[in-house]
Amino acid sequence: MPASMSRDTERSPLLDVEGLTKSYVTPDGVAELVIDVPTFRLEQGGQVALRGPSGSGKTTFLHLLAGILAADAGRILLDGHDLVAMHEASRDRLRARSLGYVFQTFNLLPGYTALENVALGMLFGEGIDEARARELLDRVGLSDRAAYKPGQLSVGQQQRVAVARALANRPRLVLADEPTGNLDSLRAQESLALIREVCAEQGAALLLVSHDAEILARFDRVTELADVNRAARVDVAGPGDRAGRGDRVTRGAMGEGR
Amino acid sequence: MVLAGGLAALVRRSLRTHALSTLVTAGSLALACGLVMATFAIQAQSERAFTGGADGFDAVLGARGSPLQLVLNSVFHLETSPGNLGWAWYERMRDDPRVALAVPYAVGDSFRGFRIVGTVPERFTEVRGPDGGALTLAAGRLFDPGRREAVIGSTVAARAGLKLGSHFHPSHGVTAGGAARRGRDGAAGASHGDAAHDGDDEDHDDHDDHGGAGTQGAQGAQGVAAFAEAAHGADDPRAHDEQYVVVGILDATNSPTDRVVWIPIEGVFRMTGHMLFGQGEIFVAQPGQAIPAEHKEVSAVLIRYTSPMAGFTLGPEINKQGDEATLAAPIGAIMADLFLKIGWMSRVLEIVAYLVVVVAAGSVLASIYNTMNERRREFAILRALGARRGTVFSVIVLEATTIAALGALGGLVVYVLIVGTASAVIRGETGVVLDVWAVHPVLLAAPLGIMVLGALTGLVPAAKAYRTDVAGHLSPPG
């Protein structure tokens, strides 16, 4: 039984995805299916890893879960709220208040200090709480780097700022897209441990996508993303989800692949 | 407080990040805004100052010619005199029941660039200043019409180095700069300046009567060349023999009056080298002898009517007879007509100012738009953090508006600098004072207009920010 929560649990899942699809239109005008997820669930406070090699649609999947992308069809229930049915502004609000996102490239704003970057994570949610921002920086071991800008921080420190920012709004769910992809092995392990610890402390569920075996080995529950996404194309190490999508649909139903 | 002000903090940070671009853009807007304000304000203030500065006179009577030249010469002490009139014209005006006050002027001399006007004491006792108040003395007393005494305007006192008790020799010509200036314009009144005198090195009694005995050089009609050879005043070949003493300094009126050296009109008649043509033939005043009225002449007679109706009859009466005299009236209307005639120039300036605004607005658009590519990732990140499309749209519009607001503020500074400089130049040249702080609708309209324009130019890049493909500008998909 892989990662996500079992259907027969009595506890309602934090994340409940059903019949989710997303297509892109190629320059040739052909609609290509890139996401086709019949079902996917994640329990409250759970920590799940998705093994996501290139071409498996992991970033697109996470963007859909975060409401950054609009789905074509299906249902994404986050804590009971359906992101697919929501107006964009409502999705934005939900994202600001209930979701944290750790990007592979961290996506810190270069003109802002570490403290400000963490505060930016609160700006569109409940509002800026400087004390909490400092507390989070302290938690990730950067209290002495609050006034540093990203360019003045090491890669590992930047990643920790990104973790602190993702947790700034006390999110229910943290999505992490190859969060250790830019770190060496040792630092990746340390960083992963930190992410998991802090998420657990803050009561946030964690859905992490990686193709790094060492990282995945740290999770009790790991799911093949290709099993989740029937539209995944896993045999081509393409540069992105959109490229060549639809050339091959290699996976069949993954119904209970949770 | 970190990021105090929320969105405003984002705007502030962005402007700071692109500080140079922000400053250049705001600077160009400031220039444009200041230029528009200055163009309109200087135009309005000049018109107001030049059409309202008649010092309580309704009309100017002078030699046949351009009413505008007459007004510029007599009221603003600019230009040259169009010629002279016989003294009888003054007497006729003085005695006309429709005329409440007639003040004769005789011009043609100067001191250190400031014009000397020969007149009568009524010029000070009966005439009110541009603000409606009587001309008052800051120091001293009025001149005695029978002595070589002068009353000077406040600007003359400040710049010509004259004070109570100072002595000076008038220079011939109206644009000569006194001892330091040697250029000759030869444009004095018809009977002033074309005469000559022998250089006479006698000392003069400071308070010599005009008819005083034997202190004047022999005079004769020996022509301009002879005059130029006169040796009075070691460094000013055009200095007259007569020495005047300053007995009074007028309070500042912020009008051309401040730039005038006033002396008794009799003094002008008797100035060495001056000839009178009052009767059509040359007459040179002799010391100790009275000047017959028929030989006297005036450059202009400034007139105040007993009632506004007087102008309706007096004007045609004078202007339609012969070709001897011109009654320039109403003074304000003549100056207004001048502004009407040069109105096209104002329009051109306005168009240039508007074009500068358009170019400056374009620079706002370009400067923000050019940063959009590098900033799309920033917007994508903000959107990923929960910012709405409308929020990033607002940030850009707010940013453009802020740049425009900085420009508008800078525009006020530019305005004060331009108008302050223009005011100083105009005051220096004419004595007319422009009020830098005078309220004009453009002082509100231009900054607001610039801000609205700035906001509008922000709409284009804001739309681009609004449409930012969030997913496409975050981390590379995998």
Side-chain angles (χ1 to χ4, degrees):
Chain A
M1 176 93 165
S4 59
M5 185 181 158
S6 169
R7 276 183 192 278
D8 56 4
T9 179
E10 292 180 2
R11 203 176 168 197
S12 67
L14 172 68
L15 183 66
D16 187 356
V17 178
E18 293 253 354
L20 182 68
T21 60
K22 177 69 179 174
S23 300
Y24 286 115
V25 178
T26 67
D28 302 328
V30 180
E32 292 181 351
L33 190 66
V34 293
I35 295 291
D36 180 7
V37 177
T39 179
F40 179 81
R41 288 184 179 181
L42 177 63
E43 71 271 31
Q44 311 265 1
Q47 296 196 346
V48 176
L50 287 176
R51 190 194 313 276
S54 295
S56 59
K58 64 180 189 299
T59 297
T60 302
F61 184 50
L62 291 188
H63 282 172
L64 286 167
L65 297 184
I68 290 171
L69 278 176
D72 296 340
R75 191 181 70 178
I76 304 172
L77 286 180
L78 177 64
D79 218 12
H81 303 288
D82 186 358
L83 270 73
V84 178
M86 273 181 190
H87 187 269
E88 185 184 68
S90 302
R91 280 206 309 272
D92 293 337
R93 188 161 47 246
L94 186 69
R95 182 166 63 251
R97 292 181 178 177
S98 302
L99 276 162
Y101 207 124
V102 183
F103 301 92
Q104 180 177 355
T105 51
F106 315 140
N107 281 334
L108 299 178
L109 287 175
Y112 296 78
T113 65
L115 181 65
E116 289 168 341
N117 264 286
V118 177
L120 276 171
M122 306 169 173
L123 182 58
F124 308 106
E126 297 297 334
I128 292 173
D129 179 347
E130 185 174 343
R132 175 164 170 79
R134 288 190 184 279
E135 184 185 301
L136 282 166
L137 272 185
D138 186 41
R139 177 61 189 87
V140 298
L142 290 174
S143 54
D144 59 340
R145 295 288 187 273
Y148 284 49
K149 291 188 176 170
Q152 299 166 312
L153 297 171
S154 70
V155 175
Q157 289 170 332
Q158 289 179 39
Q159 202 254 14
R160 282 188 271 161
V161 174
V163 171
R165 182 181 67 183
L167 289 155
N169 267 333
R170 304 180 200 279
R172 306 296 309 280
L173 171 63
V174 171
L175 303 171
D177 187 357
E178 300 272 15
T180 59
N182 287 328
L183 303 177
D184 60 46
S185 177
L186 178 61
R187 294 201 183 283
Q189 292 297 336
E190 289 174 358
S191 179
L192 174 67
L194 178 70
I195 292 172
R196 296 191 66 183
E197 281 171 26
V198 177
C199 282
E201 287 167 13
Q202 303 286 329
L206 172 66
L207 178 59
L208 180 145
V209 175
S210 177
H211 65 275
D212 184 335
E214 286 186 46
I215 295 297
L216 295 170
R218 296 297 185 111
F219 280 81
D220 297 333
R221 290 180 291 183
V222 178
T223 295
E224 288 291 340
L225 182 57
D227 288 337
V228 177
N229 180 17
R230 293 192 304 194
R233 189 192 65 175
V234 296
D235 59 329
V236 178
D241 284 342
R242 300 181 199 185
R245 184 68 58 222
D247 291 351
R248 290 178 59 184
V249 176
T250 57
R251 298 289 172 180
M254 37 66 70
E256 297 300 314
R258 302 169 297 223
Chain B
M1 174 69 187
V2 65
L3 294 178
L7 292 189
L10 299 182
V11 171
R12 222 169 34 236
R13 188 58 54 88
S14 171
L15 293 179
R16 211 164 68 192
T17 304
H18 306 101
L20 181 64
S21 162
T22 301
L23 279 178
V24 170
T25 313
S28 67
L29 277 176
L31 210 58
C33 186
L35 199 60
V36 167
M37 289 193 287
T39 301
F40 281 90
I42 289 177
Q43 190 182 318
Q45 289 178 35
S46 301
E47 200 162 333
R48 182 188 54 75
F50 279 95
T51 56
D55 278 8
F57 290 110
D58 296 313
V60 181
L61 180 75
R64 196 67 163 173
S66 155
L68 178 61
Q69 187 182 1
L70 203 51
V71 169
L72 285 174
N73 185 250
S74 306
V75 177
F76 294 97
H77 307 288
L78 301 168
E79 264 282 1
T80 53
S81 166
N84 291 334
L85 285 174
W87 187 255
W89 276 101
Y90 161 61
E91 293 176 324
R92 177 177 160 187
M93 289 298 109
R94 185 189 62 196
D95 300 336
D96 192 307
R98 293 165 293 183
V99 174
L101 176 70
V103 174
Y105 277 6
V107 301
D109 291 327
S110 61
F111 178 71
R112 293 188 179 162
F114 294 102
R115 298 189 178 207
I116 292 174
V117 177
T119 188
V120 293
E122 288 79 5
R123 173 64 182 84
F124 308 100
T125 56
E126 301 297 325
V127 177
R128 298 195 167 272
D131 58 354
L135 289 172
T136 52
L137 285 160
R141 57 174 174 79
L142 291 182
F143 57 66
D144 179 336
R147 301 176 75 85
R148 289 189 191 137
E149 294 178 345
V151 170
I152 59 176
S154 59
T155 306
V156 181
R159 298 196 197 165
L162 294 179
K163 52 183 187 288
L164 279 185
S166 294
H167 298 92
F168 66 95
H169 288 272
S171 292
H172 194 74
V174 291
T175 57
R181 291 196 194 172
R182 291 167 184 276
R184 180 176 184 82
D185 70 339
S191 63
H192 307 299
D194 292 334
H197 64 86
D198 290 331
D200 186 319
D201 291 326
E202 290 176 79
D203 289 332
H204 300 292
D205 177 1
D206 290 347
H207 294 265
D208 205 2
D209 289 345
H210 291 305
T215 57
Q216 311 302 313
Q219 297 173 20
Q222 297 173 19
V224 172
F227 183 92
E229 287 161 8
H232 276 282
D235 50 359
D236 185 0
R238 288 177 297 135
H240 287 288
D241 292 342
E242 290 76 7
Q243 181 171 260
Y244 277 75
V245 61
V246 177
V247 297
I249 298 173
L250 292 169
D251 276 320
T253 62
N254 289 336
S255 75
T257 304
D258 296 341
R259 297 179 50 82
V260 175
V261 177
W262 306 91
I263 64 172
I265 195 164
E266 186 84 2
V268 178
F269 298 155
R270 294 181 177 278
M271 205 79 77
T272 51
H274 284 187
M275 296 176 298
L276 300 173
F277 289 88
Q279 214 175 33
E281 58 190 48
I282 295 173
F283 177 86
V284 178
Q286 298 301 319
Q289 295 178 10
I291 305 171
E294 64 267 26
H295 291 298
K296 293 180 182 175
E297 55 184 3
V298 293
S299 304
V301 181
L302 278 82
I303 292 165
R304 187 165 73 219
Y305 299 138
T306 48
S307 77
M309 294 303 291
F312 289 107
T313 54
L314 196 58
E317 194 178 295
I318 292 171
N319 292 330
K320 288 183 179 170
Q321 55 68 47
D323 57 358
E324 197 177 345
T326 293
L327 187 75
I331 293 172
I334 287 167
M335 291 306 294
D337 187 49
L338 169 67
F339 279 92
L340 202 63
K341 282 174 183 162
I342 60 170
W344 63 270
M345 205 167 69
S346 301
R347 298 289 97 72
V348 170
L349 283 176
E350 284 167 19
I351 289 169
V352 170
Y354 284 137
L355 284 176
V356 173
V357 170
V358 170
V359 171
S363 77
V364 176
L365 197 157
S367 83
I368 296 182
Y369 199 85
N370 287 342
T371 64
M372 290 310 290
N373 279 344
E374 64 180 84
R375 294 178 65 188
R376 272 191 289 196
R377 183 161 168 268
E378 174 188 332
F379 294 134
I381 294 169
L382 292 176
R383 294 271 286 115
L385 294 175
R388 297 183 198 177
R389 285 181 193 274
T391 303
V392 293
F393 182 91
S394 304
V395 165
I396 295 298
V397 173
L398 198 58
E399 203 171 304
T401 310
T402 305
I403 291 175
L406 289 173
L409 275 178
L412 289 170
V413 176
V414 171
Y415 164 78
V416 171
L417 288 176
I418 292 178
V419 178
T421 306
S423 174
V425 169
I426 292 173
R427 182 175 190 174
E429 294 296 317
T430 68
V432 172
V433 174
L434 303 189
D435 183 4
V436 179
W437 306 109
V439 176
H440 187 285
V442 77
L443 299 185
L444 184 65
L448 284 180
I450 287 284
M451 286 177 67
V452 170
L453 198 61
L456 288 177
T457 57
L459 292 179
V460 178
K464 194 168 181 177
Y466 185 90
R467 291 194 303 268
T468 296
D469 170 17
V470 180
H473 290 91
L474 291 171
S475 48

